Amino acid sequence: MDLSLSTRTVGDRTIVEVGGEIDVYTAPKLREQLVELVNDGSYHLVVDMEGVDFLDSTGLGVLVGGLKRVRAHEGSLRLVCNQERILKIFRITGLTKVFPIHSSVDEAVAATD
Amino acid sequence: MATVELLFSALPEHVRTARLVAAAVARRAGVDEAVLDEVRLAVGEACTRAVGLHMSHGLSSPVRVSLIEDEKKFSIEVGDEAPHRRFSLPGGTLGAGASAAPQNGAAADAKAAGNGSGPGGGASGGLVEAEGALMPGARDEIPEPVPEEDEGDGEMGLAVISGLVDDVEVTTDENGGVIRMSWPTTEPVLP
């Protein structure tokens, strides 16, 4: 199982659909994708993690890096995730306080705060 | 000897293999299905950290994973050969605000010498100091704990392991380090 990435835009939001396993081997691909989006001027990102089978601390590091990048441009990075085993990793590391986590892409796109 | 032993070149692409093997052996050993995700994640974090240490030290030796089936528990040991690093894990389960932090010998010694405290005092002082050094990106509006993107040397991984696994022990000496983790087994092993 490798990492799959696809992007689409909804209004001013860019949805990054991630599938497969995010670990020490595949995380650099996700980082490249996020860096490229920010460099191209996409500052409001929604990372859809519903297709993610595995996430480790390397993947968390990449997401935090993405958050820092968009915040440097007054942007946002929202996550979509309903999988308990993935959410647990965010809770253990305290990152549920850092990332807005939504139950659907629609909800994330509609969110403003 | 271990039920299954795995040696792999310290490269990121092999960590997934270690996860798959560990989960398969754990399942066979009778580790509860509900816990297998944790086993997978914990062994992946331990191997990722070992790979990172070997790469940063320029070591060509392999990372060692031992999967050990005992009567009532299943243990995993992940060994690296990175020298001269000492670690302290805060006892028990880590809360959201806590973090497992490393200290290299020099920093811990300097700290101990600087404040005149004994080895114990030096170690706890070093923990705080190491946390600051570990997370240089943890400032501005993003609250801690924050893993430093892409160059964290596995300490976020240690924090994840500590949060996941009740029985975990990290030891290091001049020849390398070992992370030992174990889980109870719940059913007899059938042939």
Side-chain angles (χ1 to χ4, degrees), chain A:
Chain A
M1 179 76 66
D2 211 342
L3 184 75
S4 67
L5 293 167
S6 68
T7 62
R8 65 181 192 277
T9 54
V10 177
D12 68 338
R13 310 291 168 102
T14 302
I15 320 297
V16 183
E17 200 171 301
V18 189
E21 302 189 339
I22 311 176
D23 73 354
V24 64
Y25 180 53
T26 61
K29 281 171 64 179
L30 177 59
R31 176 169 46 243
E32 280 167 29
Q33 174 75 80
L34 297 179
V35 168
E36 193 181 307
L37 287 170
V38 173
N39 287 346
D40 291 348
S42 303
Y43 303 140
H44 291 281
L45 307 179
V46 174
V47 179
D48 180 357
M49 319 237 335
E50 286 298 271
V52 172
D53 302 308
F54 182 87
L55 173 74
D56 73 2
S57 62
T58 323
L60 293 177
V62 168
L63 292 171
V64 170
L67 182 64
K68 286 184 189 171
R69 283 193 172 82
V70 295
R71 283 191 177 176
H73 298 277
E74 312 285 307
S76 62
L77 192 157
R78 298 171 182 280
L79 303 177
V80 176
C81 182
N82 293 294
Q83 302 186 71
E84 185 49 38
R85 59 180 176 171
I86 304 289
L87 291 171
K88 181 175 183 177
I89 303 163
F90 284 96
R91 276 200 295 272
I92 286 172
T93 52
L95 292 174
T96 44
K97 300 189 202 81
V98 176
F99 291 104
I101 300 178
H102 301 275
S103 58
S104 71
V105 170
D106 286 347
E107 184 189 304
V109 168
T112 50
D113 55 63

Side-chain angles (χ1 to χ4, degrees), chain B residues 55-150:
Chain B
M55 291 177 81
S56 64
H57 283 79
L59 299 172
S60 58
S61 52
V63 170
R64 192 177 64 251
V65 182
S66 302
L67 308 167
I68 304 150
E69 214 176 297
D70 287 321
E71 212 171 309
K72 288 183 176 166
K73 66 173 183 175
F74 173 72
S75 310
I76 300 181
E77 297 181 4
V78 177
D80 65 74
E81 296 186 5
H84 298 299
R85 291 180 65 91
R86 286 186 283 154
F87 292 87
S88 61
L89 274 176
T93 304
L94 281 174
S99 170
Q103 27 190 331
N104 62 43
D109 291 345
K111 183 79 179 176
N115 62 17
S117 64
S124 59
L127 186 65
V128 173
E129 197 171 62
E131 267 182 349
L134 255 186
M135 301 174 172
R139 48 183 136 74
D140 58 58
E141 73 270 42
I142 300 175
E144 290 190 88
V146 175
E148 178 57 12
E149 185 193 8
D150 80 7

Side-chain angles (χ1 to χ4, degrees), chain B residues 3-63:
Chain B
T3 309
V4 172
E5 274 192 310
L6 179 66
L7 290 176
F8 66 92
S9 301
L11 295 169
E13 54 263 49
H14 301 315
V15 170
R16 177 170 185 265
T17 303
R19 288 201 303 268
L20 295 175
V21 172
V25 178
R27 176 182 280 122
R28 223 208 78 83
V31 174
D32 196 281
E33 285 289 326
V35 187
L36 287 178
D37 274 336
E38 294 175 12
V39 173
R40 223 185 316 269
L41 181 56
V43 76
E45 296 288 0
C47 289
T48 297
R49 178 176 161 279
V51 166
L53 287 170
H54 277 219
M55 291 177 81
S56 64
H57 283 79
L59 299 172
S60 58
S61 52
V63 170

